[in-house]
């Protein structure tokens, strides 16, 4: 669970994290793969272990960034760098803002669904 360090820092249960992620993956595996194609490096010779957790962590970062952009969270020192990194990762090889916003929406929705599943467990 090393890729989900943000979730642990918030005091969430590792068992519930795993269960919520497994439940989310049942219906949303395609969205996870689509995001993985954008955020995971293609140059590695071996597959990344726990790639689903890495993608979920990215989605939670997008969710937090949106909360900062919308004024729900205060700006912190890393907010501008985090926002730029998210946008650069998702914008790679995109031709329009519509394509970028599609990936941002997927990321945001996955994070919201994960949090809701976690809350209900």
């Amino acid at each position: 669970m090393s890729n989900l360090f943000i979730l642990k820092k918030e005091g969430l249960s590792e068992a519930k994290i795993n269960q919520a992620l497994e439940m989310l993956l049942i219906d949303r595996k395609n969205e996870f793969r689509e995001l993985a194609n954008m955020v995971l490096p293609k140059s590695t010779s071996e597959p990344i272990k726990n790639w689903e957790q890495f993608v979920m962590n990215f989605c939670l970062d997008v969710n937090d960034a949106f909360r900062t952009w919308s004024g729900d969270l205060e700006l912190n020192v890393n907010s501008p760098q985090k926002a730029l990194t998210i946008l650069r990762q998702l914008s790679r090889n995109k031709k329009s803002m519509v394509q970028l916003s599609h990936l941002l929406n997927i990321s945001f929705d996955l994070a919201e669904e994960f949090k809701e599943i976690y809350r209900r467990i």
Side-chain angles (χ1 to χ4, degrees), residues 36-49:
N37 286 334
M38 295 307 302
V39 299
L40 295 176
K42 309 269 187 298
S43 60
T44 58
S45 59
E46 55 187 68
I48 295 175
K49 290 183 180 181

Side-chain angles (χ1 to χ4, degrees), residues 46-104:
E46 55 187 68
I48 295 175
K49 290 183 180 181
N50 303 323
W51 66 271
E52 297 95 343
Q53 296 170 3
F54 185 87
V55 170
M56 188 72 251
N57 198 41
F58 178 82
C59 292
L60 292 167
D61 283 345
V62 169
N63 190 276
D64 285 344
F66 177 76
R67 291 175 58 208
T68 302
W69 301 337
S70 65
D72 290 344
L73 289 178
E74 293 294 320
L75 282 172
N76 65 40
V77 175
N78 296 326
S79 294
Q81 184 64 32
K82 187 178 193 178
L84 182 59
T85 301
I86 288 169
L87 292 174
R88 289 196 65 175
Q89 284 181 301
L90 293 181
S91 297
R92 199 173 313 130
N93 298 322
K94 297 295 174 262
K95 302 294 182 211
S96 71
M97 287 295 290
V98 172
Q99 292 173 326
L100 172 61
S101 65
H102 171 71
L103 293 173
L104 286 169

